Amino acid sequence: MASVVPQTTGENQSQSHDTLYAEERRWSGGERPRFYKNTLLKICRLAAYRQAAIAQSRPVPDITPLINQYGLSPNTISKAGRLMAAWQDPAFAWNVITLLREHSGHTPDEITDFLNHLRTNLNREEWSLVTGAM
């Protein structure tokens, strides 16, 4: 099966957010987070909603109702710590590929499987918003 993983330059790597990766690992005592496919799908939809608002020059939406709408648990939220910590910063662009490759505990084969699952289940706009693919 051919991979649908696009080449990207990664998410915005501004200095102010470099330390936020610790939040993504905090939940498990320093281990890199691992995800379930459908949980990661929910996180991607949440991030896409945020990033669409920013792209359309709308205010960043309040996160609390969205967490409830997408049914995200506190454990899941802690795994996406950088996204949550930088939620209100419109300069921050979250990227699921960067999260999986650089900050998760998944193997390369698992990452390919995750990205194929996401590409199949996200609509074109959501995929573009969370991967930087145009």
Side-chain angles (χ1 to χ4, degrees):
M1 173 189 294
S3 173
V4 296
V5 180
Q7 296 299 311
T8 67
T9 57
E11 62 186 73
N12 177 339
Q13 294 294 319
S14 68
Q15 278 299 100
S16 63
H17 297 295
D18 285 344
T19 58
L20 296 175
Y21 285 116
E23 286 296 312
E24 290 172 349
R25 291 189 295 273
R26 175 186 54 79
W27 68 276
S28 62
E31 294 177 15
R32 292 176 175 242
R34 294 183 54 86
F35 298 91
Y36 294 106
K37 286 180 183 176
N38 287 331
T39 299
L40 188 59
L41 181 64
K42 290 178 183 181
I43 292 170
C44 285
R45 288 196 167 125
L46 177 79
Y49 189 88
R50 173 198 176 268
Q51 290 175 197
I54 293 167
Q56 296 166 4
S57 299
R58 293 184 286 129
V60 176
D62 181 24
I63 194 167
T64 304
L66 294 173
I67 288 172
N68 293 332
Q69 176 183 338
Y70 289 101
L72 299 173
S73 71
N75 185 49
T76 298
I77 296 302
S78 71
K79 291 179 182 182
R82 189 165 195 210
L83 173 63
M84 299 305 124
W87 185 264
Q88 290 297 322
D89 181 359
F92 175 75
W94 185 81
N95 187 308
V96 68
I97 297 170
T98 301
L99 172 71
L100 288 171
R101 287 186 178 161
E102 298 178 15
H103 308 289
S104 79
H106 294 286
T107 67
D109 287 343
E110 289 172 329
I111 291 170
T112 297
D113 189 40
F114 268 80
L115 292 173
N116 284 324
H117 175 78
L118 293 172
R119 181 66 188 104
T120 301
N121 289 284
L122 293 170
N123 67 41
R124 184 175 299 193
E125 180 183 10
E126 290 169 330
W127 174 254
S128 176
L129 287 165
V130 299
T131 63
M134 298 299 162

